[in-house]
Structures are given as structure tokens and as C-alpha cells.
Amino acid sequence: MNKITTSVWFSCLPQLVSRIEHAHKDTVDCIHQIILKVLIDYPKQSVWHIANLLQSMIPHRVAIGDDLVRKACISLGSVGADDAGMLNDSKTFFRNLIDLAIAPPKDKEKRLVWKWPKNVKYSRFMVPMQSILTTIPRANVLADKGHTAMYIQSFNDTVDVALSKAKPKTLYLTTVCGNTIKFLCKQEKNGDLRKDARMMEFNTAVNRLFIDDPEARRRNLKLRTYAVVCLNEECGILEWVNNTSCLRHLIMEAHSYNPTEYPVVNSKEIFQSFSEMQIDKADNLDGLIKEYRDIVLNKYKPCFRLWFLEAFPDPTAWIDARSIFTRSIAVWSSVGHVIGLGDRHTENVLIDTTCGECVHVDFDCIFNKGLTLARPEIVPFRLTPNIVDAMGVCGVEGTFRRTME
């Protein structure tokens, strides 16, 4: 254990924290020592990883977290008084974030005013970006200009509330250099944000493999990741993915460019016949495909390519965006099939409007959970006509197939 540097242990800290209640006593003692060592050497980065210990719904885990913080503060002593103060403030800070996540807004209330604790010195806390949570810390990190800019200065008292069922809140923080960064604060009563956090770790590992492979590196293959911090078993904060819009909104926008030739799908109009088709042709795949074409495809033509033409009028930018989109769709399709990723509706698939890259969110439905639904998801990944339409004249037989291979 002592032969391995702390920076290496930091890279696997989430897995260590998840095994803090291991059944084997000697293993638990070893894990405690490692976490404590990392917490002492890299307190500002590590504190976000132990948030789900300090605010856990399980009293025993809270006791373990408190003990780790107490021992770390003693070890830091007067030399690390600032870091020790940050660790002591973290419990109040994280509790406040959980209270925000579970705060019930009034009906159709789009904003609420939130009181942030005045006794917390936020400038001690690093902004929990993905690079901070996954990258092995470098020496003299505090003196690095780029990282100095990523400390929290303050929070905006006004918090946006989404109108979806979970009522997630969008909070705005200001860094010490004046930048404004958005985070999503939410409670998942029926889901589990820990799946999202583990998925981001998995994606980071896949990205490392891409970097090591010459062909993948040449094509710049990667999975877009973002920070997910679990505050307890139900609540967490997620890094906002900037410059993105959900697939549904962009397809609707594409329809608006030529509504006569590409009318918007009227879901109410086809709902009844579509539902009956799924029941009547449940055991007849050929008949199901034929009726699907009659009800949907022959009437509502795919037109997502029009959005790319409008968003990227420069020919070079257009071909680059189309290539990035196709490659990212291929990579996500492959990875999603391997882990059994489901629930890929058009609001869980985002597109970076500056470059065309595909970004997936909400990973609660993994490990083929979609197969257990009342109406099982039998497709391995989302490859609908509009997605294929945006790939160009070659469709799946061009960049998409080469990337998959």
C-alpha cells in the first residue's frame, strides 16, 4: 500500500469510498488508511468524493466520514489550517445543497430564492468540475493559474426550477476570477445518481483507451463526460453541459425550416393507431415494420440534416460537424450496447450546437434494465431515421460503420 503514490490512489477514490463498509475487517482498515492518506494530501479535490459519506442516510457511514475528517484535520495541523477549515465547513455546505435538492417549489414556480450559509468560506472549495474529480492532481496545484480560477467565490441567491416531475434546480456559482458556472442540483427518489457517477468513471476509462489507440486518436474518438457528485443516496449535483440542446428540440427546429414538405409529427393523431399496431403485430415483425412505415415514415419524413445545414452554413464547418456527430453516435451506440443502456428518448440525447457532438445524459436505465419494462426495449441503441438522415447520403454505411468497426 505504501509503495503506491497518493495520486494513484486518488484516481480510484470513488471505488474505495463505495467499499468503506466491506465485510472483511482488515480490508476495511486498509481502505480507511488509503482514503485518509488521500484526504490529507489532496483535501480540496477529495472532499467532493466523501460527500456521500458525510451526508449519508446510513448513520454508520456518517460516523466513518466524520472520523476521517477529524483525523485529517488533526494531521493537517496548523500548516494546513485552511484545508482543515474547508473540511469542517463541508458538512454544512453539503447539507445545504441537499436541502436545496429536496426543497419543494410552489406549483409552476420557475425560480426560488435560496439562502446559502453565511458561515461557510466558499473560496476554500474547488469547483467540482470533471477535470478536478478525475485528473490526478499535479504538484503546486494551488499556484497553477488555471486551477486558481476554479475556486468558488459565491452563489447566486436565485435558483431556476425545471418544470419536469423531479423539479431539479439550476444553481449559478461565480468563481474567484469572475466566471459563472451552472450546476444541476436534483433529488432522485426512484433513480440512483450513483449510476451516473459510475458511468462517468467508465467513460473516462474508455477515453483513456481511445487515447492509447492510434486509429481512435486519429479520429478523435471520445465520450463527452461531466461531473456527477453524489451528496447522499438520493441527491447530487451535476455539471452543466454547456452549448447543448436535446435532440427533440433540434429535430422540431429542423421541421420548421420546411413545414410543408416535412410536417411535424402529430403524436396525438397517430397515438391510437400506433398503440394498436404494437399490440396486433407483437408477434409479426415484418408486419410491424410495414405498418410502422405506413403510419409514420411515409407521412413524416426524416429531416434532421436540415438543422446541420442551417447551423453550419460554412461547408468546412458543416462537414466537420457531420463527421463529429456520426462518430460520436457510433461510439455512444457501441458503449451503450455493451453496458445495456436504455431509456434513450430524445431528451436524454443532447447535441453540442457548436460542433455537432452527441452527449448522453441520465444513466439510470443500464445493465439491460430496459428489457424488464412493461413494454421491453429490444433495440440495442437508438438509430432512428432522423439520426441516420443527419449522417449524409451514405447513412450508416459510411463514417458510422467505419467507426463502429
Side-chain angles (χ1 to χ4, degrees):
M1 183 181 74
N2 294 326
K3 293 180 180 179
I4 301 174
T5 62
T6 315
S7 59
V8 174
W9 286 123
F10 174 83
S11 64
C12 56
L13 189 57
Q15 285 76 27
L16 292 170
V17 171
S18 68
R19 290 164 176 80
I20 201 74
E21 293 182 289
H22 197 279
H24 194 267
K25 185 180 182 304
D26 291 342
T27 301
V28 171
D29 292 341
C30 184
I31 291 173
H32 277 223
Q33 291 178 37
I34 295 170
I35 295 175
L36 181 60
K37 186 178 178 182
V38 176
L39 194 59
I40 292 168
D41 287 356
Y42 304 111
K44 285 181 167 62
Q45 296 91 341
S46 304
V47 69
W48 293 103
H49 289 293
I50 65 165
N52 58 9
L53 285 180
L54 298 174
Q55 297 298 333
S56 175
M57 296 178 174
I58 304 171
H60 181 56
R61 288 177 65 84
V62 176
I64 293 172
D66 290 342
D67 185 58
L68 286 169
V69 168
R70 182 183 60 80
K71 289 179 179 178
C73 290
I74 293 172
S75 182
L76 288 167
S78 58
V79 177
D82 190 64
D83 289 334
M86 180 271 301
L87 290 174
N88 287 321
D89 282 348
S90 64
K91 193 153 189 175
T92 302
F93 180 26
F94 296 153
R95 182 68 252 174
N96 188 259
L97 287 171
I98 292 174
D99 291 340
L100 173 60
I102 64 178
K106 296 178 183 178
D107 290 342
K108 296 183 179 180
E109 185 180 34
K110 293 184 179 180
R111 287 185 177 85
L112 60 84
V113 177
W114 190 252
K115 293 182 179 179
W116 299 97
K118 301 295 184 183
N119 59 336
V120 174
K121 192 173 180 181
Y122 297 107
S123 58
R124 292 169 170 166
F125 289 87
M126 279 187 170
V127 180
M129 308 291 282
Q130 179 72 351
S131 57
I132 294 297
L133 299 180
T134 59
T135 305
I136 296 173
R138 294 178 294 170
N140 303 320
V141 68
L142 299 184
D144 186 280
K145 185 177 180 181
H147 285 276
T148 303
M150 299 311 293
Y151 281 81
I152 301 171
Q153 179 65 43
S154 61
F155 285 91
N156 193 322
D157 292 336
T158 302
V159 176
D160 294 338
V161 181
L163 296 179
S164 59
K165 185 178 179 180
K167 295 288 190 293
K169 287 87 176 178
T170 303
L171 57 91
Y172 301 81
L173 64 86
T174 303
T175 65
V176 294
C177 68
N179 291 334
T180 299
I181 300 177
K182 292 197 293 185
F183 278 86
L184 195 67
C185 186
K186 64 185 295 189
Q187 180 186 30
E188 284 278 7
K189 286 186 177 180
N190 299 320
D192 192 341
L193 282 176
R194 290 174 294 183
K195 291 181 182 178
D196 293 65
R198 294 297 173 267
M199 189 65 199
M200 289 300 105
E201 293 164 22
F202 177 77
N203 290 350
T204 300
V206 172
N207 285 338
R208 291 196 188 106
L209 295 175
F210 283 148
I211 292 173
D212 291 339
D213 182 77
E215 285 299 310
R217 192 166 59 246
R218 184 176 66 82
R219 291 182 169 86
N220 195 27
L221 301 185
K222 62 179 179 178
L223 296 164
R224 178 79 71 90
T225 59
Y226 51 89
V228 180
V229 177
C230 297
L231 299 170
N232 63 12
E233 286 76 10
E234 288 186 352
C235 303
I237 58 173
L238 297 88
E239 179 183 352
W240 192 271
V241 186
N242 292 319
N243 305 314
T244 57
S245 183
C246 71
L247 189 61
R248 183 173 71 88
H249 290 163
L250 297 183
I251 291 174
M252 293 288 284
E253 187 178 329
H255 279 286
S256 69
Y257 298 141
N258 192 346
T260 304
E261 187 173 353
Y262 301 103
V264 177
V265 176
N266 189 333
S267 56
K268 292 182 180 179
E269 182 181 293
I270 66 171
F271 179 78
Q272 185 66 33
S273 55
F274 192 83
S275 299
E276 291 174 356
M277 172 196 75
Q278 289 183 299
I279 296 171
D280 297 341
K281 300 288 191 301
D283 299 322
N284 182 1
L285 183 59
D286 292 336
L288 190 67
I289 294 172
K290 182 180 181 300
E291 196 159 342
Y292 170 71
R293 285 173 176 162
D294 292 338
I295 295 174
V296 181
L297 293 186
N298 291 342
K299 190 172 183 180
Y300 302 105
K301 300 175 184 177
C303 62
F304 193 30
R305 67 185 185 281
L306 300 180
W307 178 82
F308 281 86
L309 290 170
E310 292 288 334
F312 306 98
D314 179 75
T316 303
W318 170 74
I319 194 67
D320 287 344
R322 197 185 70 177
S323 298
I324 291 171
F325 169 78
T326 307
R327 287 170 180 159
S328 60
I329 285 287
V331 172
W332 274 108
S333 298
S334 302
V335 171
H337 179 47
V338 169
I339 64 167
L341 179 61
D343 193 29
R344 295 302 89 195
H345 57 76
T346 50
E347 291 190 353
N348 279 346
V349 181
L350 310 181
I351 302 296
D352 188 326
T353 55
T354 63
C355 66
E357 184 181 7
C358 174
V359 186
H360 283 241
V361 296
D362 192 352
F363 301 99
D364 182 61
C365 191
I366 55 175
F367 305 134
N368 291 321
K369 181 180 176 181
L371 293 174
T372 65
L373 300 176
R375 185 154 289 165
E377 296 182 354
I378 58 174
V379 293
F381 45 80
R382 187 179 188 91
L383 194 62
T384 51
N386 263 308
I387 290 179
V388 176
D389 183 70
M391 294 179 183
V393 293
C394 292
V396 297
E397 298 302 330
T399 302
F400 182 82
R401 180 177 289 279
R402 289 199 302 272
T403 302
M404 294 282 276
E405 291 172 348

